[in-house]
Amino acid sequence: MPTSRYMQRALALAARAMGDTSPNPLVGAVIVADGKVVGEGYHHRAGAPHAEREALKAAGKRARGATLYVTLEPCVHRGRTPPCVPALIAAGIARVIIAIEDPDEHVRGKGIEQLKRAGIAVETGDGSDEAREQNRAYLKQRTTGWPYVTLKIAQTTDGYVARAKGERTNITGAQSAAFTRRLRIEHDAVLVGVDTIVVDDPLLTVRPRKRRAVPYARIVVDSRGRTPLDARVVRTARATRTIVATTRAMPPAQRKLYERRGVDVMICETDRTGRVNIADLLDKLGRQGSLSVLCESGPRIACALFEAGLVDRVHWLIAPTIFGPAAAGVAVAAPPITRARVVAALRLGSDTLITATPENRLSSQDSSRISARSSASRRMKARDASSSPAPH
């Protein structure tokens, strides 16, 4: 079923707040009476009025007997703002068209049920595909507890990401760089490995600067504390949040040095190689309310994410550059990703962007089971620690 023009308008309104509403969803609303739009609004940021209340305020008395088009099921619970369903009922809205239901445990069908009990006609499904795509990060985090993971890879045509290990190599052009900065705006955090910090010393910010209503985080996966204290992400940690995701192998003295500079140190479980367990890191980020993570790391972390089924979307940036046969054995190869469904391809200057969905990504049930195991492991360790003899 094609999306109605009023729902298209609601979706366009919701998109205006991209990057500003986390941990809340993007929501747009349009009120229509006698074939005319009499009120519209969108959720600007967490803690601000919801889209429905913005639209009701704009419509005023004209809302009575009108139809509301909204991209997500109206809420019934009081959080930082009052619930929307009572306001819709009080305003005399006669019909509500909803793109998708809200999976949040506080809503999840309750909004629809209360609207129907009040005698309001409710329909769902108009613009559902677009709404799910727009709120893909929110939907994943609310159904699995984990953030949505986007993997970005920049490579040459013959499949390399750097001329040599430890060597900084610019591969893609200016339009690809601008695309990457836009991706950062859309995500709650950007994740890199410590080798990227050591070699490139990136700032990992959005330029030109866009003021985000939601604090932006930079995550460095660093199992032992190799991130230089003079790295730009450390020196600017008090202005832009920096997280060093590490293990218990990091020396306590090094941890204190990071914390004194404003860095958040996150201790994670280890994988079978003794490095940061990426699944545990994602679980912790999700519990903190992060909806989405953009991974700009090197091949090792990218491969670990992909092989574990932790990637939800891949962006390949392929430059018209060839290192040639002489690069074999010296240049750093891009991670081999073959099991993915291409959903879009376009040109960015002289580069090619391919967007794909991995076929092996974890299902919601799998993610929930891993999250539950991680929680159980943490509870057991806490119990063991509390029952251990006190040190002398």
Side-chain angles (χ1 to χ4, degrees):
M1 181 179 71
T3 303
S4 69
R5 63 188 180 98
Y6 299 122
M7 189 62 76
Q8 288 175 354
R9 174 60 179 169
L11 289 163
L13 288 167
R16 292 182 179 181
M18 183 68 70
D20 290 334
T21 61
S22 183
N24 290 355
L26 294 162
V27 185
V30 174
I31 297 175
V32 179
D34 298 323
K36 296 181 180 179
V37 174
V38 296
E40 60 182 30
Y42 65 97
H43 184 45
H44 291 249
R45 63 185 183 279
H50 287 186
E52 299 93 323
R53 287 183 171 270
E54 288 278 315
L56 287 174
K57 181 179 178 181
K61 295 181 180 179
R62 294 173 295 177
R64 186 161 298 279
T67 296
L68 169 72
Y69 290 80
V70 64
T71 59
L72 190 70
E73 178 181 4
C75 64
V76 294
H77 65 292
R78 176 176 289 275
R80 295 169 65 180
T81 57
C84 294
V85 168
L88 295 174
I89 295 172
I93 290 289
R95 182 171 170 240
V96 176
I97 311 296
I98 301 169
I100 55 174
E101 295 183 17
D102 190 337
D104 187 281
E105 62 181 357
H106 297 100
V107 187
R108 199 179 301 161
K110 299 184 182 74
I112 292 173
E113 181 183 352
Q114 286 194 19
L115 289 169
K116 288 181 176 179
R117 280 209 308 262
I120 297 174
V122 179
E123 299 175 23
T124 60
D126 183 8
S128 59
D129 290 343
E130 295 95 326
R132 288 192 187 93
E133 170 65 17
Q134 186 176 74
N135 268 316
R136 59 189 182 277
Y138 171 81
L139 296 175
K140 182 185 177 182
Q141 197 271 344
R142 287 301 193 273
T143 55
T144 69
W146 287 18
Y148 189 95
V149 178
T150 302
L151 175 62
K152 190 221 76 176
I153 302 168
Q155 66 175 64
T156 63
T157 301
D158 53 351
Y160 294 107
V161 298
R163 289 191 178 277
K165 186 176 181 180
E167 179 180 317
R168 183 174 183 177
T169 307
N170 291 324
I171 293 176
T172 52
Q175 290 193 34
S176 291
F179 170 77
T180 298
R181 292 194 290 270
R182 289 197 299 274
L183 280 179
R184 291 176 189 168
I185 292 173
E186 297 175 7
H187 290 76
D188 288 346
V190 57
L191 181 149
V192 299
V194 63
D195 288 340
T196 298
I197 299 299
V198 171
V199 174
D200 295 341
D201 192 23
L203 195 55
L204 298 175
T205 53
V206 178
R207 300 181 304 274
R209 186 175 178 84
K210 175 187 182 294
R211 184 174 180 83
R212 285 173 51 100
V214 179
Y216 176 80
R218 302 168 296 186
I219 304 169
V220 182
V221 179
D222 180 2
S223 301
R224 297 183 179 275
R226 294 196 296 118
T227 301
L229 294 176
D230 62 351
R232 293 200 291 172
V233 293
V234 175
R235 287 189 282 113
T236 59
R238 297 193 187 279
T240 303
R241 187 185 183 197
T242 299
I243 300 171
V244 171
T246 188
T247 68
R248 292 173 182 83
M250 176 189 281
Q254 186 72 0
R255 176 177 179 175
K256 288 180 181 178
L257 289 173
Y258 289 138
E259 292 174 337
R260 286 173 186 168
R261 287 161 174 77
V263 173
D264 292 338
V265 178
M266 180 180 289
I267 305 296
C268 301
E269 301 297 327
T270 57
D271 60 17
R272 64 180 182 274
T273 67
R275 295 187 173 100
V276 170
N277 185 314
I278 302 297
D280 185 56
L281 169 58
L282 293 176
D283 186 55
K284 285 180 167 62
L285 292 171
R287 290 176 185 278
Q288 290 184 357
S290 294
L291 299 187
S292 55
V293 175
L294 172 64
C295 179
E296 296 185 36
S297 65
R300 188 187 66 77
I301 292 178
C303 284
L305 282 166
F306 187 79
E307 290 172 2
L310 301 176
V311 178
D312 296 290
R313 178 155 295 179
V314 180
H315 291 297
W316 275 293
L317 290 165
I318 304 173
T321 301
I322 297 176
F323 286 175
V330 179
V332 181
I337 299 176
T338 57
R339 292 169 294 168
R341 179 176 58 85
V342 174
V343 295
L346 57 90
R347 295 295 297 273
L348 292 176
S350 59
D351 303 327
T352 300
L353 168 64
I354 298 175
T355 299
T357 300
E359 295 178 352
N360 69 325
R361 63 177 177 162
L362 291 182
S363 66
S364 298
Q365 293 80 4
D366 291 335
S367 300
S368 298
R369 280 196 291 269
I370 294 175
S371 180
R373 286 200 299 270
S374 298
S375 300
S377 175
R378 281 192 291 270
R379 288 195 299 270
M380 183 170 292
K381 289 181 179 180
R383 183 193 65 190
D384 292 344
S386 65
S387 62
S388 299
H392 294 289

